[in-house]
Amino acid sequence: MRNYIKIITINILSLIGLILVGDYIFFKYIEYNYRQDCIKQNIPFDYNIKYKTYEFINVKKKNTTNIYKSFLNENLFLAPIIPQNTNIKRPIILLGCSYTWLNNTDGLQGLLAKYSKRPVFNFSFWGWGGAQAYYLVNDPLFYEKINSYNLGIPEYIIYTYIRDHKNRITDVMDFFIDIEPYLNYYIADNELKIKEHNFIQKLIFRLFTYRYLYKKFEKNDNNYRYKILYNLLFGSYTEIKKHYPDIKFIILEYYQGDEEDKLEEEMLEKLQNRGIIFISTKNLTNENLKSKKYTEADGYHPNAYAWGTIVETLIKEIQI
């Protein structure tokens, strides 16, 4: 009997070893091809990609997938920027992704505070989207953190929107970096609910091969994606209005020459019809915000100069 148990144990361990070795080889193959593509396209590769299957999950690390769990409790959000004057107006809250998070002191957050003379809170983070915004505004701690600064009741909330946010309605956001399922919602009984994953599912997510294949063959149902995104954004709007009834909720589209998308237009129009203010940067500047002059080295993220061409006009547009 002992021999059978020993043989079975050895076979199981050998199988696990083969799976992990194969997974690592596949990871190195994809990583190499990805690096080569970046070189060909002159895209900088500024973070160290490593095989992360073995790592323990640390919610305090600046990781797109799980930082939302401790984002408020551990004060991992960017510090509010408060104008140094005696006549401070009501605050502005920012939500969004890396477009809002990067260059915050001399970008959107800093310039809004400078020109509007208002305190500006920044609850954005890289890789985020509608799901994280909805999660945060439904956490009572969100309002406790804001109110603890005694800066008055916020008057504006600005969600910086990019089209890629629809692609963040998924279980796998970045197959290189994330080793657990991405925050994802679905609709059941006319309510948004967090998609839960059991132990086995989370274990399978640890394999790079699974994450890569999931992302590669994921069904690209834009009707569904925009439906969920609409509910996340409108749900965020309705929730924050419960706490700050007269707050103005603004979706700021950061436009970089995106092609026409009828489903996106329908979603944005529907949100406007429900009381949300929509502003596109294409109506704030005639500059090409995807040109090298206005982007970081990756060719996408806005640099401080880009925000400098937008913010003053934005303030006039919404009369902040």
Side-chain angles (χ1 to χ4, degrees):
M1 186 65 179
R2 289 182 179 179
N3 286 336
Y4 284 121
I5 294 174
K6 183 177 180 180
I7 292 171
I8 291 171
T9 302
I10 291 173
N11 286 336
I12 291 173
L13 292 176
S14 298
L15 179 60
I16 293 172
L18 286 172
I19 291 172
L20 292 176
V21 169
D23 191 54
Y24 180 75
I25 292 172
F26 184 68
F27 161 79
K28 295 300 292 184
Y29 170 75
I30 297 299
E31 178 206 21
Y32 173 80
N33 288 335
Y34 185 66
R35 288 181 183 273
Q36 294 305 306
D37 287 342
C38 288
I39 292 171
K40 290 177 183 177
Q41 299 177 47
N42 293 317
I43 298 174
F45 207 74
D46 57 0
Y47 63 87
N48 180 34
I49 290 181
K50 61 179 181 178
Y51 187 65
K52 302 181 67 171
T53 292
Y54 61 89
E55 282 192 352
F56 291 105
I57 293 170
N58 181 356
V59 295
K60 294 183 182 181
K61 289 179 67 176
K62 290 189 174 182
N63 184 294
T64 304
T65 304
N66 52 45
I67 194 174
Y68 72 90
K69 297 176 182 177
S70 56
F71 192 70
L72 296 172
N73 189 52
E74 299 293 335
N75 294 318
L76 300 177
F77 51 88
L78 294 168
I81 296 178
I82 305 170
Q84 298 301 310
N85 64 354
T86 56
N87 188 26
I88 297 177
K89 300 177 183 178
R90 290 169 60 185
I92 300 169
I93 301 170
L94 299 181
L95 295 171
C97 60
S98 52
Y99 275 53
T100 305
W101 184 70
L102 292 168
N103 301 309
N104 69 300
T105 55
D106 53 0
L108 179 59
Q109 183 183 4
L111 293 177
L112 275 175
K114 177 181 178 180
Y115 293 123
S116 71
K117 308 300 182 187
R118 294 173 182 269
V120 181
F121 292 90
N122 193 337
F123 293 98
S124 64
F125 196 71
W126 64 273
W128 279 11
Q132 290 79 11
Y134 181 78
Y135 182 91
L136 291 182
V137 302
N138 277 277
D139 187 338
L141 192 55
F142 179 75
Y143 305 97
E144 291 178 22
K145 294 293 182 181
I146 293 171
N147 298 338
S148 69
Y149 286 89
N150 295 314
L151 295 170
I153 298 173
E155 188 170 359
Y156 295 91
I157 183 165
I158 301 175
Y159 175 88
T160 307
Y161 168 79
I162 60 173
R163 181 172 294 176
D164 193 54
H165 287 181
K166 75 173 173 60
N167 298 323
R168 300 174 189 187
I169 310 299
T170 181
D171 286 351
V172 178
M173 196 5 217
D174 188 318
F175 48 73
F176 279 120
I177 298 174
D178 302 321
I179 53 176
E180 66 173 74
Y182 189 72
L183 177 62
N184 196 5
Y185 285 83
Y186 67 99
I187 298 174
D189 301 323
N190 294 317
E191 291 183 7
L192 283 167
K193 297 183 179 180
I194 294 178
K195 188 174 180 180
E196 302 290 349
H197 299 83
N198 59 40
F199 174 78
I200 299 299
Q201 290 171 322
K202 289 181 179 180
L203 189 63
I204 295 173
F205 263 86
R206 287 284 181 145
L207 295 175
F208 173 82
T209 304
Y210 175 82
R211 299 194 304 272
Y212 177 83
L213 293 176
Y214 184 101
K215 194 68 176 176
K216 186 174 180 62
F217 296 106
E218 185 178 22
K219 185 179 180 181
N220 189 19
D221 185 348
N222 285 336
N223 278 291
Y224 173 79
R225 290 173 183 267
Y226 279 126
K227 179 181 179 181
I228 297 295
L229 185 54
Y230 164 81
N231 280 275
L232 290 169
L233 294 177
F234 183 68
S236 298
Y237 166 73
T238 55
E239 182 60 33
I240 203 163
K241 291 282 277 186
K242 294 176 184 176
H243 301 266
Y244 308 128
D246 70 340
I247 199 168
K248 299 174 184 69
F249 194 105
I250 299 164
I251 291 179
L252 174 63
E253 177 194 38
Y254 198 90
Y255 180 78
Q256 293 179 301
D258 300 320
E259 296 179 358
E260 183 179 1
D261 186 331
K262 289 294 185 182
L263 290 173
E264 179 186 54
E265 291 176 8
E266 290 172 5
M267 178 193 74
L268 294 171
E269 183 179 356
K270 190 176 177 182
L271 288 168
Q272 291 176 78
N273 291 337
R274 302 296 294 273
I276 293 176
I277 300 168
F278 173 75
I279 297 174
S280 176
T281 56
K282 65 183 176 183
N283 297 322
L284 302 177
T285 179
N286 293 323
E287 299 294 327
N288 176 12
L289 295 180
K290 202 173 181 181
S291 66
K292 289 184 178 180
K293 181 179 180 180
Y294 296 111
T295 59
E296 294 293 329
D298 61 8
Y300 290 97
H301 288 93
N303 56 26
Y305 191 48
W307 287 117
T309 68
I310 296 168
V311 172
E312 286 189 82
T313 309
L314 172 64
I315 289 172
K316 293 176 183 177
E317 178 75 16
I318 54 183
Q319 299 178 344
I320 292 179

